[in-house]
Amino acid sequence: MFCYQCEQTYRSDESAGCAGPKGMCGKDATTSDLQDILLHVCEGIGQYLRRARTLGAIDADADRFVLYAFFTTLTNVNFNAGKFVELIQQAAQHRDRAKALYEKAAQTAGKTPERLSGAAAFIPAKDMNGLLAQASAAAVKKDAATLGDDVVGLRSLVLYGLKGVCAYAHHAEVLGQERAAIYAAVEHALDLLASEPREIGPLLDEALALGHANFSAMEALDAANTGSFGTPVPTIVRMTPIKGKAILVSGHDLKDLHAILEATKDKGINVYTHGEVLPAHSYPKLKAYPQLVGNYGGAWQDQQKEFADFPGPIVMTSNCLIEPQPRYRGRLFTAGPVGWAGVRHIENGDFSQVVQAALALPGFNEDAAEETVTIGFGRDAVLGVADKVIDAVKAGAIRHFFLVGGCDGAAPGRNYYTDFAEHAPQDTMVLTLGCGKYRFNRHDFGTIGGLPRLLDMGQCNDAYSAIVVASKLAEAFGVGVNELPLSLIVSWFEQKAAAVLLTLLALGVRNVRLGPTLPAFLTPALVNVLVEKFGIQPIGDAKADIEASLSRAA
Amino acid sequence: MLKVNLLTRDGASIAFDAEPSDTLLDAAANANIFLPAVCREGGCGTCRVTRKAGVVVLGPHSKAALTDDDRAAGDILLCRAKACSDLELTAPFDKAAIGFSPIPERSARVTEISPAGAGAVRLVLQYEDDPTHGRATEFIPGQFMELTLPGTSITRAYSLANTPNWDGTLEFLIRLHPQGVFSAYLKSEAKIGDPILVKGPQGSFTADEASHAPRWFVAGGTGVAPMLSMLRQMADFGDTREARLYFGVNTLDELFALDIIEDLKTSLPNLAATLCVWKSAPDWRGFTGTPADALAAALAAESAHPDIYVCGPPALIKATEALSLSAGVAHDRIFSEQFSPA
């Protein structure tokens, strides 16, 4: 096993990366090696699909499979080694079909099909032991000794960025929004990785291309979410439980939440959101369900205590799952790409077992004291008051905007984001998105000219909304986004955040402060490139960073 | 006060303080840590762990629960051991087997009693609704419940044969012993609707989910109950790993649960089941001998080592452990639960 894809990867003075029997996330060496092989076989699919696409032939099923397969390998998604043995066999079948498609398309076009090697020709073993014996062919660091850590790190940036793109595109795809441009970009990146690239330039170009693809993926997901459930509106959400039977829905997937709301109609069961499902309360078609009563708990890293205390079934619809504790393992359900050996998986959107579990489990015996937060400031809600915002900026009532957003995590250094948001001066606005907001979203930020000072824009993928708002404001002020009084204070943990970061870089957004630590796969030389070309800065001291941001604006 | 640190099979570190006058089981319970145990009298071996460092004094116990060899190798019984120094222990069970709140006691009613071959019954109970627990049957396959004989304080432990469920059903397969008090009740007095107090789930005989090895189950008589529970859960979860079941009885007429095993073979394509009858019968075409005999032959023909799960009478456990070890299966890849007459 070698894996350094997430922020919490093992770091010592000499090296970084999880390489023992188990990673910091709880993924064991077997699962990690099988994930590497799955991605390798998917690269082979990409080699054929890309060539087929240039000849006008596509295989939508294979494209969709790649999105799903990649999503299973994100941090804290699927820990079930047996599942990866199956997925690898399926990947090989998709690859063989993609090969046939390409060869037929080439013949039809009167061309001789290329004979592809590498991932395209890799024949995975049928069983776990056989596959594990092949793991070195797919290992992340296989070329480190000959090519050095810079190339391997940049390949990893492309691979992990691609994982984020695939995850967002999968979320959009299950709600019926697909983009040919995204599939083309995914295939292109797979094909590049399969070619075992050795040059920094093309890899950096690919990373930026994936940043653009991820913008499309987030746009598609925005269209999927708003198209299915309406445009988010500012909404007050209860953050404490009420008496009655209960289901907790965690992860990110609004389609699964919707299916659960349908399945619990008139059943006397209350549905609670957890973690990144919180923004669901702001979507008109979801908030219309009276049994969607509130949010329970905080960000993903606290789930072992929160799930244990929750008196009903829990559904984990996508990342971020951590090792289920015995006290709630039996009432935990996974859905979509998520998996854990020994935890029940919902295969086909049929949540009737979850309903049964909710009715059988005790639920909450009494109401807790009411606490609320206000959410739902997506692009439409913010742009709806753009005139007020612009006037307030021009009048000096709003001096600066801070976007404090991204992933949360358990590392002590993440207190920086709490400090930053809570110490931002009263004449600044704090925009937030992702689950990092749980560090400060119950803090009373007050208002500026009737506008709340804290605007919760939604999930991590609603970075799309933030980018749209920033672009519109820049347009209104007649400046570029980088000239706006706006600073981005980004916390990352996993590969969706890596993709969002690539999007910001691809769009030329500077002034990004990134933490709590920089990715372990970025070598000092690669960090220098990002600092020089894109102005990325590591986070420092919160108060000093606030001052520095404000003085830049001045 | 002495310090005890216990490392579980899945790597969790459990620490508690112990007075030299308390058994380790009681010391842990005083800290709201409920370690796996059944008889609490040194008789069953459920609470056996390995002492890596430190000194204990060990009270009287059955040689079946802790052999002299095991004891010489450092194994102790938590219900019989008192600390004489700080202790480092390793346990053959997961953290999941440890309770951190008192074991639930719930009311249930008898909903079915039917024969399970000659000499055993299938007992089905239904939980009553409960404000703290609802009506769900929550446990880890392989675990057992303590049932209280109606109108008495006599309890007996039986493994569940079904899987966790939301309608509150508990299914047991119970061998009828001529002298057993619970057996006497089941044979002649029990009727539908009888109230029975259920204390559980308890026990640490559960599948090691962290292992990717094939699972081979060796069962004697109603020792097949926890195996059926584990296999049914594997079927529910679509677990495609290789699994084998060696299920043995003494005489042909004692065979039972064959329909369940057939269903399992359908839903688990990589499951092979070997039915073993000890006393040969003219019209029996299956394996004649004990499940340990069948296992020995299979292990001899296998190069990779499976995880071995064995449940049944003490002689079967002992034979299975001995032959598995000699076939090269590691000590910590053999999981056992023995039962005694009730």
Side-chain angles (χ1 to χ4, degrees):
Chain A
M1 162 174 193
F2 180 82
C3 180
Y4 58 174
Q5 66 174 347
C6 79
E7 196 272 332
Q8 72 179 356
T9 194
Y10 179 79
R11 296 172 202 241
S12 69
D13 290 343
E14 297 79 39
S15 63
C18 294
K22 214 180 216 190
M24 299 294 284
C25 63
K27 177 172 71 175
D28 66 20
T30 298
T31 305
S32 181
D33 287 352
L34 294 172
Q35 289 184 349
D36 289 346
I37 294 170
L38 173 63
L39 298 173
H40 188 60
V41 181
C42 284
E43 287 173 8
I45 300 176
Q47 287 175 277
Y48 288 115
L49 287 184
R50 178 175 171 238
R51 286 165 176 77
R53 187 177 292 274
T54 59
L55 297 167
I58 58 164
D59 182 337
D61 282 346
D63 278 321
R64 290 176 193 135
F65 174 83
V66 167
L67 302 186
Y68 172 79
F70 262 64
F71 200 167
T72 63
T73 72
L74 262 71
T75 303
N76 292 344
V77 175
N78 204 310
F79 299 81
N80 189 346
K83 177 74 181 176
F84 287 100
V85 176
E86 280 173 44
L87 284 174
I88 290 165
Q89 309 310 323
Q90 291 172 22
Q93 288 167 10
H94 284 291
R95 197 255 325 262
D96 294 347
R97 217 177 55 239
K99 178 174 190 254
L101 176 79
Y102 161 60
E103 288 174 351
K104 191 176 168 207
Q107 279 154 8
T108 307
K111 295 179 177 170
T112 308
E114 285 178 65
R115 288 175 67 88
L116 300 177
S117 58
F122 176 78
I123 298 175
K126 297 284 180 209
D127 62 11
M128 192 178 290
N129 288 333
L131 287 166
L132 293 175
Q134 296 177 315
S136 61
V140 172
K141 282 224 163 185
K142 65 179 173 190
D143 293 329
T146 49
L147 301 180
D149 287 340
D150 292 343
V151 170
V152 172
L154 206 45
R155 283 184 188 175
S156 299
L157 177 65
V158 169
L159 179 68
Y160 302 152
L162 179 57
K163 287 190 183 193
V165 174
C166 288
Y168 285 142
H170 173 78
H171 279 303
E173 183 262 310
V174 298
L175 284 168
Q177 288 285 339
E178 296 175 271
R179 304 282 184 272
I182 298 173
Y183 289 132
V186 168
E187 293 162 7
H188 191 276
L190 290 169
D191 186 41
L192 179 81
L193 289 170
S195 72
E196 305 191 331
R198 292 154 178 260
E199 303 297 326
I200 298 286
L203 280 164
L204 208 50
D205 291 345
E206 191 67 29
L208 295 180
L210 284 172
H212 287 292
N214 190 56
F215 184 75
S216 300
M218 292 194 296
E219 176 277 318
L221 182 50
D222 181 276
N225 286 338
T226 56
S228 303
F229 308 117
T231 299
V233 292
T235 302
I236 295 169
V237 181
R238 184 180 173 113
M239 301 296 279
T240 50
I242 60 174
K243 186 178 174 180
K245 303 283 185 186
I247 294 175
L248 188 60
V249 184
S250 190
H252 297 72
D253 198 299
L254 299 186
K255 186 184 181 200
D256 284 339
L257 175 68
H258 180 253
I260 291 166
L261 290 168
E262 275 294 306
T264 50
K265 257 184 178 172
D266 306 320
K267 291 276 196 326
I269 300 168
N270 294 324
V271 178
Y272 295 82
T273 59
H274 180 265
E276 275 280 73
V277 191
L278 168 63
H281 294 274
S282 65
Y283 287 86
K285 285 188 184 163
L286 297 174
K287 67 187 280 190
Y289 290 87
Q291 76 270 34
L292 183 64
V293 294
N295 180 263
Y296 179 88
W300 64 273
Q301 73 275 5
D302 300 324
Q303 69 186 251
Q304 286 178 328
K305 182 185 181 314
E306 290 165 358
F307 290 0
D309 291 344
F310 191 81
I314 301 141
V315 185
M316 184 55 84
T317 64
S318 68
N319 54 323
C320 302
L321 175 70
I322 48 182
E323 179 172 3
Q325 295 296 294
R327 280 197 292 164
Y328 60 85
R329 188 175 291 197
R331 55 194 157 86
L332 179 67
F333 296 80
T334 59
V338 192
W340 189 285
V343 170
R344 198 171 289 277
H345 187 73
I346 306 281
E347 200 61 70
N348 46 10
D350 175 3
F351 290 96
S352 55
Q353 285 192 72
V354 178
V355 172
Q356 279 179 8
L359 292 171
L361 290 162
F364 289 102
N365 286 324
E366 57 185 19
D367 292 356
E370 182 168 358
E371 286 180 45
T372 61
V373 301
T374 303
I375 64 161
F377 296 95
R379 60 194 156 84
D380 287 290
V382 175
L383 293 176
V385 291
D387 292 351
K388 273 172 108 173
V389 172
I390 290 165
D391 290 347
V393 172
K394 284 182 175 160
I398 298 176
R399 179 159 50 130
H400 201 84
F401 297 90
F402 293 109
L403 175 68
V404 186
C407 315
D408 203 1
R414 291 182 183 268
N415 280 340
Y416 169 91
Y417 297 96
T418 320
D419 291 345
F420 196 106
E422 293 185 3
H423 287 103
Q426 288 300 313
D427 56 357
T428 62
M429 306 255 312
V430 179
L431 311 177
T432 190
L433 50 84
C435 63
K437 68 173 74 108
Y438 282 102
R439 290 194 168 262
F440 47 77
N441 70 347
R442 296 198 198 195
H443 178 79
D444 182 7
F445 282 85
T447 56
I448 298 180
L451 296 169
R453 271 193 62 229
L454 177 71
L455 299 179
D456 181 347
M457 304 192 77
Q459 295 182 328
C460 53
N461 46 284
D462 292 313
Y464 171 76
S465 235
I467 291 166
V468 170
V469 167
S471 309
K472 294 279 183 195
L473 288 180
E475 211 173 279
F477 286 112
V479 297
V481 167
N482 291 323
E483 282 72 56
L484 283 175
L486 166 69
S487 304
L488 291 90
I489 316 299
V490 176
S491 54
W492 84 284
F493 180 75
E494 39 76 305
Q495 301 75 44
K496 284 179 173 173
V500 174
L501 182 68
L502 292 180
T503 298
L504 295 175
L505 303 186
L507 297 177
V509 177
R510 299 179 70 89
N511 312 318
V512 175
R513 285 177 202 273
L514 181 65
T517 60
L518 296 178
F521 48 86
L522 295 182
T523 59
L526 295 174
V527 170
N528 277 342
V529 172
L530 296 185
V531 169
E532 283 169 19
K533 284 186 79 128
F534 305 101
I536 280 195
Q537 302 171 68
I539 62 168
D541 169 73
K543 286 181 188 166
D545 286 355
I546 291 171
E547 284 310 313
S549 302
L550 292 174
S551 60
R552 177 188 67 80
Chain B
M1 199 68 96
L2 302 166
K3 303 276 179 205
V4 182
N5 195 52
L6 178 137
L7 190 68
T8 64
R9 178 171 73 181
D10 54 344
S13 185
I14 309 293
F16 56 92
D17 292 337
E19 294 283 2
S21 56
D22 285 338
T23 66
L24 295 175
L25 202 59
D26 289 340
N30 290 339
N32 279 324
I33 299 168
F34 300 90
L35 298 168
V38 183
C39 76
R40 297 160 202 275
E41 297 177 342
C44 70
T46 303
C47 64
R48 194 171 83 185
V49 302
T50 303
R51 177 172 48 89
K52 291 292 181 192
V55 183
V56 300
V57 56
L58 202 56
H61 58 85
S62 154
K63 290 284 170 67
L66 183 68
T67 65
D68 291 341
D69 287 350
D70 292 339
R71 189 173 169 170
D75 285 5
I76 60 169
L77 299 176
L78 292 165
C79 71
R80 281 304 192 221
K82 296 176 181 177
C84 303
S85 73
D86 290 351
L87 295 174
E88 294 289 334
L89 309 174
T90 59
F93 47 79
D94 288 344
K95 189 182 175 195
I98 303 173
F100 294 94
S101 51
I103 300 162
E105 285 193 71
R106 297 168 61 182
S107 304
R109 290 193 181 271
V110 174
T111 55
E112 187 185 330
I113 311 168
S114 54
V121 296
R122 174 174 183 268
L123 172 70
V124 182
L125 306 181
Q126 172 74 41
Y127 270 139
E128 311 255 276
D129 237 324
D130 178 303
T132 311
H133 304 286
R135 67 162 179 275
T137 305
E138 293 187 276
F139 66 99
I140 304 166
Q143 287 190 302
F144 64 85
M145 300 286 188
E146 270 181 285
L147 308 185
T148 304
L149 188 62
T152 74
S153 58
I154 296 170
T155 63
R156 289 291 181 268
Y158 298 110
S159 298
L160 287 146
N162 62 339
T163 48
N165 61 80
W166 309 115
D167 51 14
T169 308
L170 306 126
E171 179 187 348
F172 303 93
L173 297 164
I174 300 176
R175 181 161 174 75
L176 299 174
H177 292 274
Q179 311 302 324
V181 285
F182 217 100
S183 299
Y185 162 73
L186 289 173
K187 205 158 26 179
S188 46
E189 296 166 42
K191 53 187 187 305
I192 304 301
D194 279 3
I196 289 189
L197 198 63
V198 179
K199 186 175 178 186
Q202 306 181 57
S204 57
F205 182 62
T206 57
D208 182 4
E209 294 293 353
S211 166
H212 306 303
R215 289 180 186 152
W216 289 15
F217 300 96
V218 183
T222 51
V224 78
M227 317 308 200
L228 294 179
S229 182
M230 291 188 221
L231 284 164
R232 283 166 152 179
Q233 175 117 322
M234 287 171 68
D236 272 4
F237 289 0
D239 192 326
T240 52
R241 85 180 72 205
E242 187 209 319
R244 298 194 192 180
L245 173 65
Y246 298 95
F247 171 34
V249 292
N250 290 322
T251 57
L252 188 54
D253 62 348
E254 287 179 355
L255 275 177
F256 61 94
L258 303 184
D259 51 340
I260 301 174
I261 293 168
E262 281 308 307
D263 285 350
L264 284 168
K265 279 160 66 180
T266 308
S267 44
L268 291 170
N270 294 321
L271 169 67
T274 304
L275 302 176
C276 311
V277 175
W278 181 48
K279 291 179 185 160
S280 64
D283 45 355
W284 174 242
R285 294 207 184 82
F287 186 86
T288 299
T290 70
D293 298 334
L295 174 70
L299 279 174
E302 193 74 16
S303 55
H305 296 310
D307 290 346
I308 305 279
Y309 294 84
V310 53
C311 181
L316 177 67
I317 310 280
K318 206 172 163 190
T320 300
E321 287 181 344
L323 71 89
S324 300
L325 288 169
S326 68
V329 179
H331 187 262
D332 64 357
R333 294 289 95 205
I334 306 168
F335 307 103
S336 65
E337 178 139 285
Q338 98 183 5
F339 56 66
S340 40

